[in-house]
């Protein structure tokens, strides 16, 4: 995606103060550190602006990304991600149906061949207990693995797709993408897992973020990035006829108690 930093900054700006910059990133642009790619941090640096990523979202993922403009704020914010006190929510469209209204995916992750993230257990050992997907301890593969939990709420259904709001309780690399794919509900357009067709983008979006921000008058950062029209269109189909109303309802839904069993 060819664009200049001033153009990207202006088009995607959600919030800016003396300490942070929040952007609604398009799919297809890296945040930082991706080989052979020009990323947001490099683009800004080339124009004399130093930014420190507070968190990362994948290149294929659109939506909210928070960057610090100074190191003290960066330290305060990244600690909240490390301690899992940052409140995060994503949106996704799966190339499948049959998911419950609410669910929990409690599956450990590991890194396999070619540095690919996978579930740390054989696929056939994954079982569903009510609305929770899990594996028994004896089925977890030997070696290093990372406990990983994703909660989700179903927002809309069509004959062939499902729109989800998700909260990654842990923040592992590719967590949402791997969790959904391994329970049989891959994200539409995911280059790692979706083999259902050719799509313009991956339908995963970083939607909401709430963190403590002592330097702000309210003491908090409450950020929300609305997905673009391309998120709601899958091929020739529209998966939500009134996205703003859907997201308004979703804000209340994701705040409710998670399913029994988590």
């Amino acid at each position: 995606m060819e664009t200049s930093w001033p153009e990207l900054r202006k088009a995607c700006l959600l919030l800016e103060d003396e300490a942070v910059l929040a952007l609604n990133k398009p799919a297809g642009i890296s945040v930082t550190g991706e080989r052979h790619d020009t990323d947001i941090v490099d683009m800004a640096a080339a124009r004399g602006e130093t930014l420190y990523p507070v968190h990362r979202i994948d290149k294929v993922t659109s939506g909210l990304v928070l960057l610090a403009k100074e190191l003290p704020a960066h330290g305060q914010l990244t600690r909240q991600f490390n301690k899992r006190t940052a409140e995060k929510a994503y949106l996704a469209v799966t190339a499948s149906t049959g998911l419950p209204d609410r669910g929990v995916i409690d599956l450990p992750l590991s890194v396999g061949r070619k540095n690919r993230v996978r579930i740390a257990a054989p696929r056939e050992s994954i079982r569903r207990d009510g609305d929770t997907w899990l594996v028994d301890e004896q089925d977890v593969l030997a070696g290093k693995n990372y406990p990983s939990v994703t909660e989700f709420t179903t927002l809309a259904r069509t004959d062939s797709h499902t729109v989800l709001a998700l909260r990654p309780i842990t923040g592992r690399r590719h967590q949402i993408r791997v969790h959904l794919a391994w329970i049989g509900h891959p994200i539409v357009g995911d280059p790692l897992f979706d083999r259902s067709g050719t799509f313009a983008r991956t339908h995963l979006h970083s939607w909401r973020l709430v963190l403590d921000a002592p330097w702000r008058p309210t003491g908090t950062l409450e950020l929300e990035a609305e997905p673009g029209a391309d998120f709601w269109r899958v091929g020739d189909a529209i998966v939500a006829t009134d996205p703003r109303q859907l997201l308004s309802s979703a804000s209340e839904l994701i705040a409710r108690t998670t399913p029994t069993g988590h």
Side-chain angles (χ1 to χ4, degrees), residues 77-135:
L77 295 167
T78 54
R79 277 193 291 273
Q80 295 175 61
F81 280 90
N82 294 336
K83 293 179 179 179
R84 300 178 190 168
T85 58
E87 296 180 28
K88 300 169 288 182
Y90 286 73
L91 300 169
V93 182
T94 69
S96 61
T97 60
L99 285 165
D101 290 344
R102 299 180 67 83
V104 176
I105 307 170
D106 187 356
L107 297 172
L109 299 178
S110 66
V111 179
R113 292 180 299 172
K114 298 183 179 179
N115 201 34
R116 290 180 179 172
V117 180
R118 55 159 292 158
I119 301 300
R123 190 182 297 269
E124 61 271 16
S125 69
I126 298 172
R127 62 185 181 87
R128 180 174 171 178
D129 182 2
D131 291 332
T132 299
W133 283 259
L134 70 163
V135 291

Side-chain angles (χ1 to χ4, degrees), residues 94 96-101 128 131 133 152 154 157-162 185:
T94 69
S96 61
T97 60
L99 285 165
D101 290 344
R128 180 174 171 178
D131 291 332
W133 283 259
F152 69 82
T154 296
R157 295 180 173 91
T158 72
D159 292 341
S160 54
H161 297 93
T162 306
H185 298 270

